[in-house]
Amino acid sequence: RFRDKITGSFKLSYYNEYKSYLSAMSSLSMIESLYTDAAPNARFRDKMTGDGLFVNYGISLDGTRPTDVSRANMNMVDWMIKELDITAESHVLEVGCGKGGYILNVAGKTGCKFIGMDIMPGYVKAGHEAVIARGLQTQGDIIEGSYQEFLSQLKEHGYEGVEFTHILCVGSLYYVHAEIDLVLKNVFRAANPKTNVFIWDFIRMKEWNDCKHFHTHMKLEHPLLSAEEMETAIVRAGLKADRKEDLNNLVLPALAILRDAGLEEDPKSESITYPIMYKSLQESEVSFMAIFISVSK
């Protein structure tokens, strides 16, 4: 920085971009350690979900245990379509979409246009292949992008200026809680006054050091935000949290499928840790919180 200042070519933006790049790479490293296809949890999860596109637990719509993990995740798809009023006229952006399990099924059921973005190249490849296999090319695609850089990455892929009706952050935002201001500012800039923003995310319900089960399963390098911290960050970004809903009562019956199957395969939960994650939600260390957000522009 000093050298560039002396030579007259100093650009602070370069430094900020580099910091953002390093942060994205740190997030990628953490995610890969948990969810690469070689990881026991990921292999087990993919075996339980059939085509392997879903990377979340799903929900129960009525409090009873779903028949399987795929059905639990399709319940989540149906719930989002209804709660967010996604139709054939919608244009939906999902950041942190994994392999596209949610966004592709939402698009298939509603006919909406879509863009899914994820930082994991392997997930993007699987998602793009699924777009082609399902004949959804005219509606959208899955592309590579991070929470920290998704605005510039949308531009690179020719999507600059798209007016999204919905922006979704479903089950992956917790990886970047340490940079929540940057991420939510990006969301604000990508939105317009009519955009519906939806976050479905882990929220800390206890002191971070007391979230022992969550630590064992996730091994995050930063604390989760509390509900109050998340709402404050939302307001700082120029957004407004219109409604919050704790979905633990809907997630637990679905997660019980992974818990029970995990205990059968790994009774001590040494490599397959879904039983430990179940305890974290059951004991209210963390909550799966749905946050419905509008844009204050």
Side-chain angles (χ1 to χ4, degrees):
R1 292 201 305 270
F2 174 75
R3 177 206 63 219
D4 289 348
K5 182 173 69 173
I6 294 299
T7 59
S9 60
F10 174 66
K11 298 287 186 183
L12 183 59
S13 61
Y14 296 164
Y15 176 62
N16 289 335
E17 288 168 8
Y18 184 58
K19 282 202 307 180
S20 186
Y21 168 78
L22 289 177
S23 172
M25 291 304 98
S26 175
S27 298
L28 176 59
S29 174
M30 179 167 50
I31 296 167
E32 284 180 332
S33 71
L34 287 167
Y35 288 116
T36 53
D37 289 339
N41 271 326
R43 289 200 307 269
F44 175 74
R45 178 204 62 221
D46 289 352
K47 182 177 73 173
M48 295 289 292
T49 58
D51 62 12
L53 288 184
F54 288 120
V55 296
N56 285 306
Y57 314 140
I59 62 172
S60 165
L61 293 176
D62 58 7
T64 61
R65 180 172 170 145
T67 53
D68 54 48
V69 178
S70 292
R71 178 64 260 168
N73 276 284
M74 289 304 297
N75 286 344
M76 184 67 185
V77 169
D78 294 338
W79 185 88
M80 285 193 294
I81 291 171
K82 179 182 177 183
E83 292 290 329
L84 299 172
D85 192 24
I86 299 173
T87 70
E89 305 303 315
S90 302
H91 201 151
V92 183
L93 169 66
E94 184 183 357
V95 188
C97 71
K99 300 176 185 179
Y102 286 150
I103 192 65
L104 296 186
N105 281 290
V106 167
K109 285 198 165 203
T110 66
C112 70
K113 293 182 178 180
F114 70 92
I115 302 169
M117 304 186 77
D118 199 85
I119 194 173
M120 297 276 282
Y123 281 9
V124 173
K125 181 177 183 291
H128 177 69
E129 290 171 352
V131 169
I132 296 171
R134 298 182 182 205
L136 298 173
Q137 302 96 310
T138 60
Q139 292 171 241
D141 201 0
I142 306 296
I143 63 176
E144 191 168 337
S146 69
Y147 275 111
Q148 296 93 335
E149 296 285 332
F150 76 83
L151 287 178
S152 62
Q153 289 154 339
L154 284 172
K155 183 178 179 179
E156 289 171 11
H157 285 86
Y159 295 114
E160 185 181 26
V162 172
E163 292 201 354
F164 297 107
T165 59
H166 300 78
I167 298 177
L168 314 181
C169 306
V170 184
S172 59
L173 188 62
Y174 62 93
Y175 287 117
V176 291
H177 275 196
E179 291 187 283
I180 197 65
D181 286 332
L182 169 64
V183 173
L184 292 179
K185 277 294 184 184
N186 285 343
V187 170
F188 176 81
R189 294 185 183 109
N192 62 73
K194 295 182 180 180
T195 302
N196 295 301
V197 179
F198 175 67
I199 293 174
W200 187 52
D201 195 26
F202 284 121
I203 296 294
R204 173 174 58 81
M205 305 300 286
K206 294 182 178 180
E207 292 299 320
W208 181 233
N209 289 336
D210 294 330
C211 299
K212 294 181 173 33
H213 298 306
F214 188 86
H215 288 312
T216 301
H217 181 67
M218 286 298 182
K219 301 179 176 66
L220 288 183
E221 297 174 359
H222 56 262
L224 283 181
L225 297 177
S226 67
E228 293 76 18
E229 289 167 339
M230 176 63 79
E231 187 160 3
T232 299
I234 289 169
V235 172
R236 278 199 305 266
L239 304 166
K240 179 185 176 185
D242 298 316
R243 177 160 67 98
K244 295 184 297 183
E245 186 175 344
D246 185 333
L247 294 187
N248 272 9
N249 63 320
L250 301 183
V251 173
L252 279 168
L255 182 53
I257 302 169
L258 289 167
R259 175 200 63 186
D260 293 349
L263 286 172
E264 286 185 15
E265 190 156 326
D266 179 14
K268 294 183 179 180
S269 300
E270 292 175 336
S271 58
I272 299 172
T273 57
Y274 289 109
I276 297 172
M277 189 63 223
Y278 184 92
K279 288 182 180 179
S280 182
L281 269 66
Q282 186 182 44
E283 297 177 12
S284 296
E285 289 182 352
V286 300
S287 166
F288 247 130
M289 189 79 71
I291 309 175
F292 301 81
I293 298 170
S294 57
V295 182
S296 305
K297 286 192 178 181

